[in-house]
Amino acid sequence: MNSIYSVLIVTCVIASIGMIFHIHSVTAIPKSSKFWFSALYGFMSIGAIAEWIGVWLNLHPVSPNIHQCFKLLEFCITPMLPILMAYGCGLKKSAKPFWIIVIIHVGVEIALLPFAKIINITPEGYKRGEWYFIYILVYSITFVYQLTMLYHLSKRFQNRDALTLITALLLVFCSVVPSIIHSATRTAFFGMTITGIVLYLYYEGLTLQDMMKGISEKNEKIRAMQDKIIVGIADLVESRDSNTGTHIKNTAHYVELIVKKAMEIGIYNIDEKFADMMISAAPLHDVGKLVVPDTILRKTARLTDEEFEIIKKHTSEGGKIVKHLLEDITDNEYIQLVYNVAKYHHEKWDGSGYPEGLKGEEIPIEARIMAIADVYDALTMERVYKKALPRERALSYIAENIGKQFDPAITPLFLSLMKNS
């Protein structure tokens, strides 16, 4: 018996068993697909072993009946494998006609077995019968269908590319080569095994890609819903402060300008993820005002010292509200960023701010960015207790307080953007 042939058969069996274990370890694959793929690789192992025993019996004749049984098993299993692959990939509708062909073929094989028309066992060993073409025809039909499955399979998924498909077909072709180049290494099962593995991995890859895309789309919907809730809460806060939501939109816009410019020139290692979170968090910077009485928020006269102390509490209270509001519905990194924005956006670079008197880079970068946007919009908006400042005077105030109230690296970016807009 040719040693290369034996290696090919052993490879088929080991690979098939390995695939069964692999399939059951993948959670993304449906249970029905796991069943059919497991059946595929199980029958593939049985067929390969039956073929090997048949070849061994050619060299070591025992009983014609035993030899016939193993050849029959091999001949019946081979055309069945592409159909099992199709069922595993969820292509049941297109596979149904081929099941009929395979069942008829099995019936014909069994019926003609006593007459040695397809399988002819002689004292010298196995020989092809005069109607052997029936097996070749059925095998060829199902093998061609197996190749077309790669194309049909790709059409069922959103994610697919021509290169992957071509690579898969090349692997299938290469797996058939050993059976073509030398009769001593001729085995249908090696090509079938490699084809089955390639097809399954292609199916698994497409399934995982589609699943990840689905998760991504769901996450986007959740994020959009989360943003709407955040803006809704912020609108509620602003409505108590005699605003109509303009402050929320303006500050979010200024924050977006700052973080995108900072990301562009590489200040403070701001990346796209941080920028997205920062823009989303901006509307909640004043959420702590929910605990401030309306009489203070809507007061037109100058606040007393006691009233100002109450106003100052909106930062610390805002941090608590944010943590309570967002806990268990989003990730900790985002919660911490929103917390920092709400609690520390009134801190000043020189340490004269509140609630904790942080200074310089002790103040979280997100709070330093929020401070610029919040103060500029507060200066240029009319409130019940003050008139709006002209744009130029507001920008001058921001510029004069660089290094005192505002971050000396971030603030010039904002001034440049506003002067050029």
Side-chain angles (χ1 to χ4, degrees):
M1 187 182 294
N2 187 283
S3 59
I4 296 176
Y5 170 79
S6 297
V7 169
L8 293 178
I9 293 296
V10 170
T11 302
C12 292
V13 175
I14 293 174
S16 296
I17 294 171
M19 286 303 295
I20 291 172
F21 283 105
H22 170 73
I23 289 164
H24 286 279
S25 70
V26 179
T27 55
I29 304 300
K31 286 184 178 179
S32 59
S33 292
K34 287 184 179 182
F35 170 80
W36 289 109
F37 275 119
S38 296
L40 163 68
Y41 294 113
F43 276 111
M44 206 173 277
S45 298
I46 294 168
I49 292 168
E51 183 186 88
W52 185 87
I53 291 172
V55 172
W56 185 85
L57 289 172
N58 265 347
L59 303 174
H60 309 84
V62 178
S63 163
N65 291 334
I66 293 175
H67 201 160
Q68 271 187 335
C69 287
F70 280 106
K71 293 307 290 185
L72 178 65
L73 185 62
E74 171 199 336
F75 276 37
C76 290
I77 286 177
T78 310
M80 189 192 303
L81 300 179
I83 318 300
L84 294 173
M85 286 185 202
Y87 268 63
C89 294
L91 303 171
K92 295 181 181 180
K93 190 174 181 180
S94 65
K96 283 180 179 178
F98 295 95
W99 264 128
I100 296 170
I101 294 172
V102 168
I103 290 168
I104 292 172
H105 166 252
V106 171
V108 170
E109 288 268 9
I110 294 171
L112 295 179
L113 191 63
F115 306 102
K117 292 295 184 180
I118 298 176
I119 301 170
N120 184 15
I121 304 298
T122 68
E124 289 78 30
Y126 159 73
K127 291 183 180 179
R128 295 176 179 180
E130 56 185 299
W131 290 0
Y132 181 78
F133 71 90
I134 294 175
Y135 166 73
I136 293 297
L137 177 64
V138 174
Y139 173 74
S140 300
I141 290 170
T142 55
F143 189 75
V144 169
Y145 171 65
Q146 180 175 251
L147 296 179
T148 62
M149 265 194 288
L150 283 165
Y151 171 72
H152 288 298
L153 183 60
S154 70
K155 289 174 68 177
R156 294 180 61 240
F157 291 87
Q158 299 174 36
N159 298 283
R160 54 186 176 272
D161 61 85
L163 184 62
T164 304
L165 191 57
I166 292 167
T167 304
L169 289 170
L170 284 172
L171 281 169
V172 169
F173 174 76
C174 292
S175 69
V176 180
V177 169
S179 298
I180 298 173
I181 58 176
H182 198 283
S183 60
T185 62
R186 186 167 295 154
T187 170
F189 288 95
F190 184 74
M192 283 284 193
T193 302
I194 300 301
T195 305
I197 292 172
V198 168
L199 193 64
Y200 169 78
L201 293 177
Y202 186 54
Y203 168 77
E204 182 185 296
L206 292 173
T207 301
L208 290 173
Q209 285 182 59
D210 269 17
M211 184 183 73
M212 292 305 295
K213 185 172 182 180
I215 291 171
S216 177
E217 288 172 352
K218 283 184 179 179
N219 285 342
E220 285 298 318
K221 288 179 181 178
I222 291 169
R223 179 67 181 274
M225 184 170 63
Q226 178 181 298
D227 287 346
K228 285 184 178 180
I229 292 170
I230 287 171
V231 171
I233 293 168
D235 275 336
L236 176 64
V237 174
E238 293 301 310
S239 67
R240 296 182 64 239
D241 196 13
S242 304
N243 292 314
T244 58
T246 307
H247 181 60
I248 296 167
K249 293 173 185 174
N250 288 349
T251 51
H253 173 64
Y254 299 143
V255 163
E256 182 176 4
L257 291 177
I258 294 169
V259 292
K260 287 189 174 179
K261 189 64 179 178
M263 184 170 60
E264 182 185 320
I265 64 176
I267 290 181
Y268 292 126
N269 297 317
I270 290 173
D271 57 18
E272 189 171 353
K273 182 182 178 182
F274 175 88
D276 289 342
M277 290 195 299
M278 186 67 220
I279 295 164
S280 173
L284 284 178
H285 69 280
D286 274 339
V287 71
K289 286 183 178 179
L290 283 169
V291 302
V292 179
D294 287 346
T295 52
I296 296 177
L297 285 177
R298 296 176 181 271
K299 187 175 179 179
T300 56
R302 183 182 179 86
L303 296 176
T304 65
D305 290 343
E306 292 79 10
E307 287 171 335
F308 186 60
E309 287 302 316
I310 293 172
I311 279 282
K312 285 164 66 175
K313 288 180 181 178
H314 86 275
T315 53
S316 298
E317 292 299 323
K320 293 177 186 177
I321 291 169
V322 161
K323 286 205 168 180
H324 181 71
L325 182 70
L326 300 179
E327 189 178 20
D328 298 330
I329 67 168
T330 187
D331 61 273
N332 290 332
E333 185 181 6
Y334 180 71
I335 293 173
Q336 187 62 49
L337 184 142
V338 183
Y339 173 85
N340 290 342
V341 165
K343 185 170 183 178
Y344 299 119
H345 68 283
H346 281 292
E347 298 286 2
K348 297 181 180 180
W349 186 263
D350 62 5
S352 61
Y354 61 88
E356 295 182 8
L358 302 180
K359 62 187 296 185
E361 294 191 11
E362 292 175 353
I363 308 166
I365 178 63
E366 50 267 31
R368 302 190 323 252
I369 292 170
M370 192 71 240
I372 299 168
D374 186 40
V375 171
Y376 177 76
D377 193 61
L379 291 172
T380 54
M381 273 189 71
E382 185 173 341
R383 300 287 180 100
V384 292
Y385 51 85
K386 73 170 191 69
K387 297 289 185 182
L389 279 183
R391 171 191 174 95
E392 292 74 19
R393 283 188 61 189
L395 291 175
S396 294
Y397 174 86
I398 299 288
E400 288 165 9
N401 284 278
I402 292 175
K404 299 175 185 176
Q405 185 171 351
F406 305 113
D407 184 305
I410 291 286
T411 312
L413 297 183
F414 176 73
L415 293 174
S416 174
L417 287 165
M418 297 307 295
K419 286 175 182 177
N420 295 328
S421 64

